[in-house]
Coordinates of all heavy atoms in Angstrom, one line a residue:
A35 N 29.7 -32.8 -125.5 CA 30.3 -32.6 -124.2 C 31.3 -31.4 -124.3 O 32.0 -31.1 -125.3 CB 31.1 -33.8 -123.9
E153 N 6.5 -17.3 -120.8 CA 6.6 -17.5 -122.2 C 5.8 -18.7 -122.7 O 5.4 -18.7 -123.9 CB 8.0 -17.6 -122.7 CG 8.9 -16.4 -122.4 CD 8.6 -15.2 -123.2 OE1 7.6 -15.2 -123.9 OE2 9.3 -14.2 -123.1
L278 N -2.5 4.8 -144.1 CA -1.5 5.0 -145.1 C -1.1 6.5 -145.2 O 0.1 6.8 -145.2 CB -2.0 4.5 -146.4 CG -2.0 3.0 -146.6 CD1 -2.7 2.6 -147.9 CD2 -0.6 2.4 -146.6
I363 N 11.3 -21.1 -133.1 CA 10.3 -22.0 -132.6 C 8.9 -21.5 -132.8 O 8.6 -20.4 -132.4 CB 10.5 -22.3 -131.1 CG1 11.6 -23.5 -130.9 CG2 9.2 -22.9 -130.5 CD1 11.8 -23.9 -129.5

Side-chain angles (χ1 to χ4, degrees):
E153 301 289 6
L278 284 171
I363 277 185

